[in-house]
């Protein structure tokens, strides 16, 4: 009798296992890698979930069919914004600087070592990249705080600080900062809607 119960229990377990294995995988369970893939010509990486097409190489580098070659251009925030606008006008496609969450998602495509997936973004610089995200720091500055006075920040020029600082994301770590001086020279990777 005990032997029959054990074999019946094993059969039930095998039946349950077979049912689980036969259950189709839902899109939410699919690997994240299926959401990202190269475009037909290979020059872009398409993120199916966000419906964005990323330039496979950063500005200054070019796709040669196998990898990105050249040297990344480092630009101020103003130069990066102007470049995106000029490219959008020239190509008739809405190229722009990415938002912080978009860059962090790109940085989240990490393997070992950290950073964007090297098979999709070869030779990708894993350093700070400009974002189009506007400053969200609305905190008032205490004009009597010695550190604020020493750094030239007072209640009267709080609006100027937001204009002089921008957001950047480190693609090696995913860290985002909103206090980067817009005159800083950073890497630029453009993004556009996937058409």
């Amino acid at each position: 009798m005990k032997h029959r119960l054990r074999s019946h229990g094993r059969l039930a377990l095998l039946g349950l296992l077979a049912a689980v294995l036969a259950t189709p995988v839902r899109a939410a369970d699919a690997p994240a890698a299926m959401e990202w893939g190269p475009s037909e010509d290979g020059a872009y990486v398409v993120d199916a979930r966000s419906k964005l097409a990323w330039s496979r190489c950063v500005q200054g580098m070019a796709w040669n069919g196998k990898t990105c070659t050249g040297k990344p251009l480092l630009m101020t925030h103003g130069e990066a914004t102007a470049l995106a606008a000029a490219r959008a006008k020239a190509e008739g496609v809405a190229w722009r600087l990415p938002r912080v969450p978009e860059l962090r998602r790109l940085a989240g495509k990490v393997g070992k070592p950290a950073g964007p997936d090297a098979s999709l973004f070869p030779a990708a610089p894993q350093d700070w990249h400009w974002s189009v995200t506007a400053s969200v720091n609305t905190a008032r500055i205490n004009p009597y705080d010695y550190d604020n006075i020493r750094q030239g920040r007072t209640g009267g020029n709080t609006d100027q600080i937001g204009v002089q600082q921008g957001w950047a994301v480190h693609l090696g770590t995913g860290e985002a900062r909103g206090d980067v001086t817009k005159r800083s020279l950073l890497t630029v990777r453009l993004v556009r809607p996937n058409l």
Side-chain angles (χ1 to χ4, degrees), residues 1-190:
M1 178 80 167
K2 285 184 180 180
H3 178 19
R4 246 170 128 183
L5 287 175
R6 272 191 275 182
S7 65
H8 180 61
R10 285 184 188 152
L11 287 175
L13 182 61
L14 287 173
L16 179 63
L17 182 60
V20 168
L21 291 175
T23 304
V25 176
R26 296 184 324 239
D29 298 332
M34 295 177 76
E35 295 178 353
W36 295 76
S39 62
E40 288 182 25
D41 64 359
Y44 311 106
V45 174
V46 177
D47 178 359
R49 187 174 90 184
S50 66
K51 297 179 177 65
L52 293 175
W54 291 85
S55 193
R56 199 150 193 189
C57 304
V58 296
Q59 295 302 301
M61 298 180 81
W63 177 250
N64 70 5
K66 293 182 182 178
T67 190
C68 295
T69 60
K71 186 176 177 183
L73 286 177
L74 300 178
M75 302 179 196
T76 66
H77 191 272
E79 291 169 339
T81 304
L83 174 87
R87 186 168 176 187
K89 184 176 180 181
E91 295 181 18
V93 180
W95 285 105
R96 62 175 174 80
L97 289 174
R99 296 177 187 95
V100 166
E102 294 165 345
L103 276 170
R104 293 190 80 188
R105 179 165 157 73
L106 180 66
K109 295 289 304 152
V110 296
K112 302 256 189 280
D117 184 339
S119 67
L120 296 174
F121 299 98
Q126 295 187 25
D127 53 11
W128 291 98
H129 286 60
W130 277 123
S131 168
V132 72
T133 301
S135 178
V136 294
N137 183 7
T138 58
R140 297 293 301 169
I141 293 176
N142 180 353
Y144 302 105
D145 182 338
Y146 176 74
D147 286 334
N148 289 334
I149 294 169
R150 185 171 47 86
Q151 294 173 15
R153 293 187 240 169
T154 63
N157 69 0
T158 56
D159 293 338
Q160 291 177 350
I161 290 172
V163 171
Q164 295 172 1
Q165 295 177 338
W167 280 86
V169 174
H170 192 283
L171 284 201
T173 64
E175 178 186 359
R177 295 189 62 150
D179 60 353
V180 180
T181 303
K182 287 187 175 181
R183 293 184 309 267
S184 299
L185 298 174
L186 302 182
T187 309
V188 176
R189 184 183 302 273
L190 299 180

